[in-house]
Amino acid sequence: MSELRFVHLGFGPEAVEYHAAWQEQRRVHTARFADEIPDTCLLLEHQPVYTAGRRTEDSERPLDGTPVIDVDRGGKITWHGPGQLVGYPIVKLPRPVDVVAHVRRLEDAIIRVCADFGLETTRVEGRSGVWVLGDAVDDGRERGRGGLGGLSLDFDPRLHDEEFDPRLSGPEYAPSNAGQRGEDRKLCAIGIRVAKGVTMHGFSLNCDPDNTWFDRIVPCGIRDAGVTSLSQELGRTVTVTEVLPVVEKHLGAVLGAAVPLPRAG
């Protein structure tokens, strides 16, 4: 088991400008690849910023022309800012490299964090991140009955969702919402890049942000779901400062259990 080192870049009044954090990520990534430092997770709050992954479409960007920084991670557009705990785990992945397994480890750590605060969260089939599921729809009918010949005409997001990833499936994922629940709400976004077997980017966990920032965009390119926060779900203010040590505890345990093998050749 390897130990994960945590570095605090700045919070609150010391929130970090995005380009400065991005530059620090690249510096740490280079050092980690060269084995000059151990696995390292940068933790911070960002100054308000929209960032767009490689697959972001023009229609998902702010309609009012608000600036967006295009970045080299996967995924689409999202927002970072005050009240949101951002983590950039820069770690050597076990070989053979399995990107989906790394995403699942990040999700697992955040799900454990939420459980410590008394909030039940889950994964959703085909979608990265950590979610609060919408309430089941009670339409007064038995499932599979009613409608036309017993067929369901509910919208299935998998049919037209380019971001749907069939690798994100299995018993640990809640079934994709095909109109059988109310609106699912994303609590934590995850977007990563792997270069030379070392990860970059990571997660953003909404603690007590102003979620109206998300109203200007289509967060993560997902049109049939919402965005939430720990404070919103728990009905009290849950600050980044309160969440920080809990994230370190679970992230250290989950990522520390993944042991990288020696580089081939």
Side-chain angles (χ1 to χ4, degrees), residues 211-264:
N211 278 342
T212 60
W213 284 93
F214 290 102
D215 294 344
R216 300 183 186 182
I217 61 174
V218 180
C220 303
I222 297 174
R223 299 177 185 272
D224 63 325
V227 177
T228 192
S229 66
L230 287 170
S231 296
Q232 183 175 331
E233 296 298 327
L234 296 174
R236 69 174 182 86
T237 299
V238 182
T239 65
V240 168
T241 301
E242 184 179 355
V243 175
L244 186 58
V246 186
V247 165
E248 290 187 356
K249 177 181 73 172
H250 289 297
L251 204 60
V254 172
L255 294 186
V259 181
L261 300 177
R263 183 172 173 82

Side-chain angles (χ1 to χ4, degrees), residues 45-123:
E45 278 179 280
H46 273 302
Q47 297 171 11
V49 63
Y50 293 105
T51 69
R54 293 184 297 267
R55 299 182 65 187
T56 302
E57 299 177 8
D58 289 342
S59 63
E60 295 159 351
R61 295 172 181 262
L63 298 177
D64 60 2
T66 300
V68 176
I69 297 176
D70 290 283
V71 296
D72 58 353
R73 60 166 168 79
K76 295 198 174 188
I77 192 168
T78 192
W79 172 85
H80 299 307
Q84 185 185 75
L85 176 56
V86 173
Y88 296 132
I90 300 173
V91 302
K92 277 197 174 181
L93 292 183
R95 291 187 177 276
V97 169
D98 186 338
V99 177
V100 172
H102 179 61
V103 171
R104 285 182 175 144
R105 284 191 288 269
L106 295 181
E107 291 168 343
D108 187 40
I110 299 302
I111 288 170
R112 295 184 190 187
V113 169
C114 295
D116 277 7
F117 282 92
L119 178 62
E120 181 179 356
T121 57
T122 188
R123 301 170 174 88

Side-chain angles (χ1 to χ4, degrees), residues 96-204:
V97 169
D98 186 338
V99 177
V100 172
H102 179 61
V103 171
R104 285 182 175 144
R105 284 191 288 269
L106 295 181
E107 291 168 343
D108 187 40
I110 299 302
I111 288 170
R112 295 184 190 187
V113 169
C114 295
D116 277 7
F117 282 92
L119 178 62
E120 181 179 356
T121 57
T122 188
R123 301 170 174 88
V124 170
E125 178 188 7
R127 291 175 168 174
S128 64
V130 175
W131 296 77
V132 178
L133 298 185
D135 294 332
V137 173
D138 182 8
D139 57 7
R141 301 175 300 173
E142 293 182 46
R143 295 296 174 210
R145 300 195 177 184
L148 300 176
L151 297 177
S152 171
L153 301 182
D154 292 320
F155 171 70
D156 186 341
R158 294 171 294 183
L159 298 179
H160 307 288
D161 183 0
E162 293 182 358
E163 283 294 289
F164 189 92
D165 189 339
R167 297 175 300 172
L168 301 177
S169 61
E172 66 269 46
Y173 290 84
S176 182
N177 185 2
Q180 305 305 308
R181 305 188 290 273
E183 184 179 70
D184 294 337
R185 305 178 296 281
K186 180 176 271 193
L187 178 68
C188 178
I190 293 176
I192 66 167
R193 178 182 178 228
V194 179
K196 301 178 181 178
V198 179
T199 65
M200 294 182 72
H201 302 288
F203 65 88
S204 54

